[in-house]
Amino acid sequence: SQQGEEDPQALSIQEGENATMNCSYKTSINNLQWYRQNSGRGLVHLILIRSNEREKHSGRLRVTLDTSKKSSSLLITASRAADTASYFCATDATSGTYKYIFGTGTRLKVLA
Amino acid sequence: DTAVSQTPKYLVTQMGNDKSIKCEQNLGHDTMYWYKQDSKKFLKIMFSYNNKELIINETVPNRFSPKSPDKAHLNLHINSLELGDSAVYFCASSQDAGGMGSPLHFGNGTRLTVT
């Protein structure tokens, strides 16, 4: 069954604003990753957060993880038009099944 | 140099035909995957190979048969294509299998349209 669900499904903001998207999952995980997908392209890895970490930063990206709530959030600060894409979270369960399960994705549109 | 390359980029075919999609990675990774992305952008794992050995077969119809001749290649053959097979198929690779946190590297997808 699907592991992750994200909300909102779609988000439209003005350039310069911050964008926050959330991911919820169902089972215990080893780590959680966020990916970006531009239209017509494959997914690109953005950032990884391990189950024993609570927050991680990379450039304009900030990821949080709350394992008690089985949720994560991705914050993109000072958004740019080039950030327009779909964003997916991916988790791998602790059952060791060697697979990453992706969420439903958030479609972000940044208006110039 | 494209890290994960898959061919063809577009594939249009009729129901009942057999087709193949090829994937190659030049990253030296041990694990390769096939994912299917439907029209709602939902991405679902189909298969995973680690060092040429099948480790995940995610309840995919047996019309789909992956083949890994070596750890740099993972091909997908589909028999008797059906309308519901229309989707974008992504190949991906990672240094390690799941649990180690290795990021996935994706190809740009093959858009399959079955008419």
Side-chain angles (χ1 to χ4, degrees):
Chain A
S1 65
Q2 182 181 328
Q3 173 80 327
E5 293 191 7
E6 288 159 76
D7 82 275
Q9 289 187 354
L11 181 60
S12 186
I13 59 174
Q14 296 290 328
E15 214 170 20
E17 293 180 339
N18 295 342
T20 299
M21 48 207 94
N22 304 295
C23 166
S24 60
Y25 55 92
K26 296 177 183 174
T27 63
S28 296
I29 60 171
N30 292 310
N31 59 73
L32 185 145
Q33 303 184 28
W34 284 91
Y35 288 79
R36 182 188 73 231
Q37 183 180 30
N38 290 93
S39 180
R41 309 282 294 196
L43 283 75
V44 174
H45 179 260
L46 294 175
I47 194 166
L48 172 146
I49 187 165
R50 300 195 184 277
S51 59
N52 61 353
E53 297 175 314
R54 291 297 166 257
E55 187 170 314
K56 208 137 178 218
H57 296 256
S58 176
R60 293 184 297 112
L61 305 180
R62 173 179 167 250
V63 169
T64 62
L65 179 64
D66 187 336
T67 53
S68 66
K69 295 181 179 177
K70 291 187 170 58
S71 68
S72 174
S73 67
L74 171 67
L75 168 68
I76 304 174
T77 60
S79 62
R80 304 166 182 168
D83 294 329
T84 295
S86 292
Y87 292 81
F88 295 86
C89 66
T91 56
D92 65 324
T94 53
S95 60
T97 52
Y98 302 108
K99 62 183 178 183
Y100 292 94
I101 303 296
F102 282 80
T104 49
T106 293
R107 291 186 304 280
L108 173 66
K109 188 169 185 178
V110 181
L111 304 169
Chain B
D1 287 341
T2 304
V4 180
S5 58
Q6 48 183 116
T7 55
K9 186 171 174 63
Y10 300 98
L11 190 50
V12 180
T13 188
Q14 292 185 328
M15 283 175 58
N17 285 348
D18 304 338
K19 290 293 178 186
S20 292
I21 307 172
K22 295 186 176 181
C23 179
E24 175 182 4
Q25 54 97 2
N26 63 7
L27 298 167
H29 287 168
D30 289 338
T31 309
M32 295 185 72
Y33 311 79
W34 278 111
Y35 280 85
K36 177 181 180 181
Q37 187 172 47
D38 64 22
S39 58
K40 296 184 179 179
K41 300 291 188 184
F42 177 45
L43 201 66
K44 183 175 166 60
I45 189 166
M46 300 174 69
F47 301 103
S48 174
Y49 272 73
N50 183 258
N51 276 318
K52 302 193 300 175
E53 186 179 331
L54 179 67
I55 53 174
I56 295 173
N57 181 342
E58 196 69 4
T59 60
V60 177
N62 57 15
R63 296 183 296 104
F64 291 79
S65 52
K67 282 199 170 47
S68 182
D70 55 62
K71 75 172 194 177
H73 295 84
L74 180 61
N75 304 321
L76 183 64
H77 188 75
I78 315 170
N79 288 327
S80 304
L81 278 155
E82 300 177 357
L83 292 176
D85 297 333
S86 295
V88 182
Y89 292 84
F90 285 98
C91 177
S93 71
S94 65
Q95 179 59 56
D96 303 296
M100 308 294 286
S102 302
L104 297 176
H105 294 254
F106 282 82
N108 282 325
T110 295
R111 182 175 293 278
L112 172 64
T113 304
V114 182
T115 62

